[in-house]
Amino acid sequence: MKIQDFNLSKEEFVEITKKYMNETFPRYDFVVNESKDMNLIDENGGEYLDFLGGIAVNSVGGCNRAVIDAIKEQCEQLIHASNYFYTVPQTMLAKLICETIGMDKIQFQNSGAEANEAMIKLARKYGNDKYGNGRYKIVTAINSFHGRTLATLTATGQPGSAIHKGFEPLVDGFKYAEFNNLASFEEAATDDVIAIMIEPVQAEGGVYPATQEFITGLRELCDRKGMLLLFDEVQTGWGRTGAIMSYMNYGVKPDAVSMAKAVGGGMPLAAMCATNEAMQALSAGSHGTTFGGNPVCCAAGYAAVTEIVEKKLSENAKEVGEYFRAKLAELPHVKEVRGLGLLVGVEFDDDIAMHVKHVAFDNRLLMSVIKPNTIRMVPPLIASKEDCDKAFEIIKKAL
């Protein structure tokens, strides 16, 4: 559908949106009619260079041809059945994902929050099965973000923030420790803790990558204390940080990992993968989903994952990301440039991030503000150095 199909002006369309939609996102002032590769296209045919990427979703580019063809073909065969049946897209995507990232089992979900919820449930059930019901707590990082269900917003280490406020009492069983501070996690890992859950890069929290020492130390700590190491790779997975999964940058394998966003090629698809030992905890009846692993979403996911792997988009993200971050560091008012691959955060020396975003929008560049002094850019992994040069010039103009 396009706005023209309903003979509406943009102003009329926005009024309808405000009347019927409960608005929880600050929207850009245009209607997205189409997307193509690196661009979003508005109601008048104007193109915007998309360094927001659907919030790290459109990793293979907007309306990727392989993904479109897979969706069309699958829609003519089977749109939905049920998880009581075997379906070919689900099974073949499960095989492709597990073999690509070196995991044993997969549980499909619909969103990143659901994938993290499944991982939390896995850890609790594992702890109960193996140690009894006194070992169920999970340590997460201060400044983390894990989702907006009651359990995942509690896991989000931002006490007192709008994410927590008003939803009390929060879910019991979570503790917070300082990111990239191994001693802080060791102190928090008391005898009632069953797992540590972190993001390899704190994306929403300001784009802070984990250090090698920290990741290696967490693996050793979990092994020593019989705990599970859980990685939230909803935003960092599938090529974003210069490796297929971000944990591969560190040479450390978790016991379970969540994924969403890029894995569906734009369709709502998520999953939690785990080792055989960990996944045994989620036996029949302990977890389930109606739509998770939907045939159309899995067909799109199979095409998207194949594109990422065969076109070596993780390698492109690593090379282009390094180039882009180096250029951004030369700009005035830039305090620090952080990130891995094409997950890029720019912290300014003053609270000017919203100004930069608005001037960039006026010059047809899209990005997000994650703190008053920090912007984040997560363009499709097909981004070129030339695309980054265009974005650089617009940000430079704003500064």
Side-chain angles (χ1 to χ4, degrees):
M1 294 181 180
K2 295 182 180 181
I3 193 171
Q4 288 83 357
D5 298 334
F6 297 89
N7 295 316
L8 293 169
S9 68
K10 185 189 75 172
E11 291 73 23
E12 290 170 330
F13 182 82
V14 169
E15 284 303 311
I16 293 172
T17 302
K18 290 180 177 179
K19 181 176 179 179
Y20 294 106
M21 294 284 292
N22 181 44
E23 295 287 77
T24 58
F25 285 87
R27 298 183 190 260
Y28 280 95
D29 188 27
F30 76 100
V31 179
V32 181
N33 259 1
E34 301 176 70
S35 67
K36 179 65 177 175
D37 298 331
M38 289 295 301
N39 297 297
L40 294 185
I41 302 168
D42 69 15
E43 69 280 3
N44 297 315
E47 294 189 354
Y48 293 77
L49 184 59
D50 185 13
F51 271 52
L52 182 59
I55 316 179
V57 169
N58 299 327
S59 289
V60 294
C63 288
N64 176 278
R65 189 72 252 168
V67 173
I68 290 173
D69 290 344
I71 291 170
K72 285 183 174 180
E73 182 178 354
Q74 187 58 46
C75 282
E76 293 180 349
Q77 297 171 356
L78 178 67
I79 292 178
H80 179 75
S82 155
N83 282 316
Y84 286 115
F85 303 99
Y86 296 109
T87 59
V88 174
Q90 187 181 91
T91 293
M92 298 316 294
L93 179 58
K95 178 178 185 290
L96 178 61
I97 288 175
C98 288
E99 290 182 351
T100 300
I101 70 172
M103 281 290 179
D104 298 321
K105 297 285 187 181
I106 190 168
Q107 180 93 41
F108 285 110
Q109 305 292 149
N110 303 291
S111 68
E114 286 184 44
N116 284 335
E117 187 93 15
M119 199 158 61
I120 290 166
K121 289 178 67 176
L122 172 79
R124 284 202 175 195
K125 185 73 162 44
Y126 178 88
N128 277 312
D129 290 351
K130 191 168 184 176
Y131 300 108
N133 60 12
R135 196 166 182 189
Y136 64 96
K137 293 185 178 179
I138 298 173
V139 183
T140 64
I142 295 169
N143 209 37
S144 60
F145 181 84
H146 297 291
R148 293 185 183 273
T149 65
L150 273 176
T152 57
L153 74 84
T154 308
T156 294
Q158 299 183 41
S161 70
I163 295 169
H164 284 189
K165 192 173 181 181
F167 297 106
E168 301 86 354
L170 301 181
V171 177
D172 179 43
F174 293 94
K175 303 169 71 174
Y176 309 127
E178 186 179 345
F179 189 68
N180 273 336
N181 185 334
L182 187 58
S184 180
F185 273 81
E186 288 179 340
E187 183 179 354
T190 49
D191 291 341
D192 55 355
V193 170
I194 188 56
I196 290 172
M197 181 166 76
I198 67 153
E199 306 153 276
V201 182
Q202 287 192 327
E204 300 291 331
V207 191
Y208 290 96
T211 65
Q212 180 68 55
E213 179 185 20
F214 180 59
I215 295 288
T216 303
L218 289 182
R219 179 72 275 177
E220 189 278 329
L221 173 63
C222 288
D223 290 342
R224 174 161 42 90
K225 302 204 69 170
M227 303 183 301
L228 299 179
L229 180 58
L230 316 175
F231 284 166
D232 173 351
E233 294 229 30
V234 167
Q235 190 160 154
T236 59
W238 294 105
R240 174 59 54 189
T241 65
I244 294 295
M245 300 301 288
S246 196
Y247 63 78
M248 295 176 178
N249 287 310
Y250 299 92
V252 169
K253 182 179 176 181
D255 298 291
V257 59
S258 62
M259 62 189 70
K261 293 188 181 287
V263 76
M267 296 292 284
L269 180 67
M272 183 266 292
C273 288
T275 62
N276 279 323
E277 180 186 355
M279 195 67 96
Q280 286 176 4
L282 289 186
S283 53
S286 63
H287 193 63
T289 171
T290 297
F291 290 106
N294 168 272
V296 178
C297 294
C298 284
Y302 193 94
V305 168
T306 300
E307 288 276 287
I308 290 168
V309 174
E310 291 187 352
K311 293 186 176 179
K312 299 182 179 179
L313 295 187
S314 59
E315 295 177 20
N316 185 67
K318 182 177 181 179
E319 179 184 348
V320 174
E322 289 176 355
Y323 171 82
F324 191 35
R325 292 195 304 276
K327 283 184 71 73
L328 291 166
E330 301 170 359
L331 290 170
H333 299 292
V334 169
K335 181 179 178 181
E336 187 176 25
V337 179
R338 297 183 294 268
L340 284 177
L342 281 170
L343 175 49
V344 179
V346 183
E347 180 180 345
F348 302 109
D349 59 12
D350 202 350
D351 291 348
I352 57 174
M354 196 61 71
H355 164 78
V356 173
K357 172 185 170 179
H358 286 311
V359 175
F361 174 67
D362 291 341
N363 288 273
R364 299 185 180 273
L365 170 67
L366 306 175
M367 63 179 69
S368 62
V369 172
I370 50 176
K371 290 185 177 181
N373 65 347
T374 306
I375 59 171
R376 175 191 55 186
M377 290 173 282
V378 279
L381 305 184
I382 61 172
S384 65
K385 292 179 180 178
E386 290 73 23
D387 293 320
C388 291
D389 288 341
K390 293 176 185 177
F392 172 84
E393 291 299 329
I394 293 172
I395 296 168
K396 182 180 178 181
K397 181 177 181 178
L399 291 171

PDB file of all heavy atoms in Angstrom, residues 281-301:
ATOM      1  N   ALA A 281      16.689 -28.118  28.864  1.00  0.00           N
ATOM      2  CA  ALA A 281      15.813 -27.584  29.907  1.00  0.00           C
ATOM      3  C   ALA A 281      14.428 -27.242  29.366  1.00  0.00           C
ATOM      4  O   ALA A 281      13.426 -27.362  30.085  1.00  0.00           O
ATOM      5  CB  ALA A 281      16.446 -26.351  30.543  1.00  0.00           C
ATOM      6  N   LEU A 282      14.341 -26.790  28.114  1.00  0.00           N
ATOM      7  CA  LEU A 282      13.045 -26.436  27.543  1.00  0.00           C
ATOM      8  C   LEU A 282      12.432 -27.667  26.873  1.00  0.00           C
ATOM      9  O   LEU A 282      12.456 -27.834  25.657  1.00  0.00           O
ATOM     10  CB  LEU A 282      13.189 -25.287  26.544  1.00  0.00           C
ATOM     11  CG  LEU A 282      13.506 -23.911  27.139  1.00  0.00           C
ATOM     12  CD1 LEU A 282      13.467 -22.840  26.056  1.00  0.00           C
ATOM     13  CD2 LEU A 282      12.544 -23.534  28.262  1.00  0.00           C
ATOM     14  N   SER A 283      11.855 -28.511  27.689  1.00  0.00           N
ATOM     15  CA  SER A 283      11.230 -29.740  27.200  1.00  0.00           C
ATOM     16  C   SER A 283       9.809 -29.441  26.741  1.00  0.00           C
ATOM     17  O   SER A 283       9.314 -28.316  26.873  1.00  0.00           O
ATOM     18  CB  SER A 283      11.237 -30.792  28.312  1.00  0.00           C
ATOM     19  OG  SER A 283      10.648 -30.252  29.484  1.00  0.00           O
ATOM     20  N   ALA A 284       9.132 -30.448  26.213  1.00  0.00           N
ATOM     21  CA  ALA A 284       7.781 -30.287  25.691  1.00  0.00           C
ATOM     22  C   ALA A 284       6.854 -29.693  26.747  1.00  0.00           C
ATOM     23  O   ALA A 284       6.820 -30.153  27.890  1.00  0.00           O
ATOM     24  CB  ALA A 284       7.243 -31.628  25.217  1.00  0.00           C
ATOM     25  N   GLY A 285       6.130 -28.647  26.351  1.00  0.00           N
ATOM     26  CA  GLY A 285       5.193 -27.999  27.252  1.00  0.00           C
ATOM     27  C   GLY A 285       5.760 -26.855  28.053  1.00  0.00           C
ATOM     28  O   GLY A 285       5.005 -26.060  28.622  1.00  0.00           O
ATOM     29  N   SER A 286       7.086 -26.728  28.100  1.00  0.00           N
ATOM     30  CA  SER A 286       7.698 -25.678  28.917  1.00  0.00           C
ATOM     31  C   SER A 286       7.811 -24.344  28.186  1.00  0.00           C
ATOM     32  O   SER A 286       8.006 -23.307  28.811  1.00  0.00           O
ATOM     33  CB  SER A 286       9.097 -26.117  29.384  1.00  0.00           C
ATOM     34  OG  SER A 286       9.958 -26.311  28.279  1.00  0.00           O
ATOM     35  N   HIS A 287       7.685 -24.384  26.869  1.00  0.00           N
ATOM     36  CA  HIS A 287       7.738 -23.143  26.093  1.00  0.00           C
ATOM     37  C   HIS A 287       7.049 -23.384  24.752  1.00  0.00           C
ATOM     38  O   HIS A 287       6.980 -24.523  24.274  1.00  0.00           O
ATOM     39  CB  HIS A 287       9.188 -22.705  25.870  1.00  0.00           C
ATOM     40  CG  HIS A 287       9.308 -21.299  25.359  1.00  0.00           C
ATOM     41  ND1 HIS A 287       8.887 -20.217  26.069  1.00  0.00           N
ATOM     42  CD2 HIS A 287       9.781 -20.801  24.180  1.00  0.00           C
ATOM     43  CE1 HIS A 287       9.097 -19.103  25.386  1.00  0.00           C
ATOM     44  NE2 HIS A 287       9.640 -19.431  24.232  1.00  0.00           N
ATOM     45  N   GLY A 288       6.535 -22.328  24.154  1.00  0.00           N
ATOM     46  CA  GLY A 288       5.862 -22.498  22.872  1.00  0.00           C
ATOM     47  C   GLY A 288       5.548 -21.163  22.230  1.00  0.00           C
ATOM     48  O   GLY A 288       5.751 -20.105  22.817  1.00  0.00           O
ATOM     49  N   THR A 289       5.061 -21.216  20.992  1.00  0.00           N
ATOM     50  CA  THR A 289       4.712 -20.021  20.243  1.00  0.00           C
ATOM     51  C   THR A 289       3.776 -20.407  19.106  1.00  0.00           C
ATOM     52  O   THR A 289       3.908 -21.490  18.529  1.00  0.00           O
ATOM     53  CB  THR A 289       5.972 -19.333  19.675  1.00  0.00           C
ATOM     54  OG1 THR A 289       5.582 -18.295  18.780  1.00  0.00           O
ATOM     55  CG2 THR A 289       6.876 -20.298  18.933  1.00  0.00           C
ATOM     56  N   THR A 290       2.831 -19.532  18.791  1.00  0.00           N
ATOM     57  CA  THR A 290       1.938 -19.775  17.659  1.00  0.00           C
ATOM     58  C   THR A 290       2.592 -19.387  16.339  1.00  0.00           C
ATOM     59  O   THR A 290       2.597 -20.145  15.376  1.00  0.00           O
ATOM     60  CB  THR A 290       0.624 -18.990  17.825  1.00  0.00           C
ATOM     61  OG1 THR A 290      -0.056 -19.457  18.987  1.00  0.00           O
ATOM     62  CG2 THR A 290      -0.280 -19.162  16.605  1.00  0.00           C
ATOM     63  N   PHE A 291       3.160 -18.191  16.308  1.00  0.00           N
ATOM     64  CA  PHE A 291       3.690 -17.669  15.044  1.00  0.00           C
ATOM     65  C   PHE A 291       5.201 -17.837  14.890  1.00  0.00           C
ATOM     66  O   PHE A 291       5.734 -17.656  13.794  1.00  0.00           O
ATOM     67  CB  PHE A 291       3.333 -16.188  14.896  1.00  0.00           C
ATOM     68  CG  PHE A 291       1.877 -15.937  14.657  1.00  0.00           C
ATOM     69  CD1 PHE A 291       1.066 -15.432  15.660  1.00  0.00           C
ATOM     70  CD2 PHE A 291       1.307 -16.214  13.428  1.00  0.00           C
ATOM     71  CE1 PHE A 291      -0.276 -15.190  15.445  1.00  0.00           C
ATOM     72  CE2 PHE A 291      -0.032 -15.982  13.194  1.00  0.00           C
ATOM     73  CZ  PHE A 291      -0.833 -15.478  14.206  1.00  0.00           C
ATOM     74  N   GLY A 292       5.924 -18.101  15.958  1.00  0.00           N
ATOM     75  CA  GLY A 292       7.376 -18.229  15.869  1.00  0.00           C
ATOM     76  C   GLY A 292       7.783 -19.323  14.897  1.00  0.00           C
ATOM     77  O   GLY A 292       7.336 -20.470  15.011  1.00  0.00           O
ATOM     78  N   GLY A 293       8.628 -18.970  13.930  1.00  0.00           N
ATOM     79  CA  GLY A 293       9.010 -19.936  12.903  1.00  0.00           C
ATOM     80  C   GLY A 293       7.990 -20.039  11.792  1.00  0.00           C
ATOM     81  O   GLY A 293       7.939 -21.038  11.064  1.00  0.00           O
ATOM     82  N   ASN A 294       7.169 -18.995  11.601  1.00  0.00           N
ATOM     83  CA  ASN A 294       6.184 -18.941  10.522  1.00  0.00           C
ATOM     84  C   ASN A 294       6.848 -19.232   9.173  1.00  0.00           C
ATOM     85  O   ASN A 294       7.967 -18.776   8.917  1.00  0.00           O
ATOM     86  CB  ASN A 294       5.534 -17.557  10.524  1.00  0.00           C
ATOM     87  CG  ASN A 294       4.725 -17.280   9.290  1.00  0.00           C
ATOM     88  OD1 ASN A 294       5.263 -16.794   8.294  1.00  0.00           O
ATOM     89  ND2 ASN A 294       3.451 -17.587   9.331  1.00  0.00           N
ATOM     90  N   PRO A 295       6.198 -19.989   8.285  1.00  0.00           N
ATOM     91  CA  PRO A 295       6.826 -20.369   7.011  1.00  0.00           C
ATOM     92  C   PRO A 295       7.295 -19.190   6.161  1.00  0.00           C
ATOM     93  O   PRO A 295       8.386 -19.238   5.576  1.00  0.00           O
ATOM     94  CB  PRO A 295       5.723 -21.161   6.299  1.00  0.00           C
ATOM     95  CG  PRO A 295       4.878 -21.699   7.399  1.00  0.00           C
ATOM     96  CD  PRO A 295       4.892 -20.656   8.467  1.00  0.00           C
ATOM     97  N   VAL A 296       6.484 -18.133   6.063  1.00  0.00           N
ATOM     98  CA  VAL A 296       6.871 -16.992   5.233  1.00  0.00           C
ATOM     99  C   VAL A 296       8.073 -16.276   5.848  1.00  0.00           C
ATOM    100  O   VAL A 296       9.025 -15.905   5.146  1.00  0.00           O
ATOM    101  CB  VAL A 296       5.698 -16.014   5.049  1.00  0.00           C
ATOM    102  CG1 VAL A 296       6.130 -14.812   4.217  1.00  0.00           C
ATOM    103  CG2 VAL A 296       4.517 -16.718   4.378  1.00  0.00           C
ATOM    104  N   CYS A 297       8.036 -16.080   7.168  1.00  0.00           N
ATOM    105  CA  CYS A 297       9.162 -15.419   7.841  1.00  0.00           C
ATOM    106  C   CYS A 297      10.435 -16.248   7.724  1.00  0.00           C
ATOM    107  O   CYS A 297      11.530 -15.699   7.520  1.00  0.00           O
ATOM    108  CB  CYS A 297       8.830 -15.181   9.312  1.00  0.00           C
ATOM    109  SG  CYS A 297       7.487 -14.007   9.577  1.00  0.00           S
ATOM    110  N   CYS A 298      10.306 -17.578   7.840  1.00  0.00           N
ATOM    111  CA  CYS A 298      11.490 -18.436   7.735  1.00  0.00           C
ATOM    112  C   CYS A 298      12.037 -18.484   6.315  1.00  0.00           C
ATOM    113  O   CYS A 298      13.252 -18.560   6.114  1.00  0.00           O
ATOM    114  CB  CYS A 298      11.167 -19.844   8.235  1.00  0.00           C
ATOM    115  SG  CYS A 298      11.086 -19.972  10.029  1.00  0.00           S
ATOM    116  N   ALA A 299      11.157 -18.424   5.321  1.00  0.00           N
ATOM    117  CA  ALA A 299      11.629 -18.362   3.936  1.00  0.00           C
ATOM    118  C   ALA A 299      12.405 -17.069   3.706  1.00  0.00           C
ATOM    119  O   ALA A 299      13.475 -17.067   3.070  1.00  0.00           O
ATOM    120  CB  ALA A 299      10.441 -18.449   2.979  1.00  0.00           C
ATOM    121  N   ALA A 300      11.881 -15.955   4.245  1.00  0.00           N
ATOM    122  CA  ALA A 300      12.600 -14.685   4.143  1.00  0.00           C
ATOM    123  C   ALA A 300      13.921 -14.759   4.888  1.00  0.00           C
ATOM    124  O   ALA A 300      14.954 -14.267   4.410  1.00  0.00           O
ATOM    125  CB  ALA A 300      11.744 -13.558   4.713  1.00  0.00           C
ATOM    126  N   GLY A 301      13.896 -15.369   6.079  1.00  0.00           N
ATOM    127  CA  GLY A 301      15.115 -15.512   6.870  1.00  0.00           C
ATOM    128  C   GLY A 301      16.167 -16.357   6.169  1.00  0.00           C
ATOM    129  O   GLY A 301      17.359 -16.042   6.210  1.00  0.00           O
TER     130      GLY A 301
END
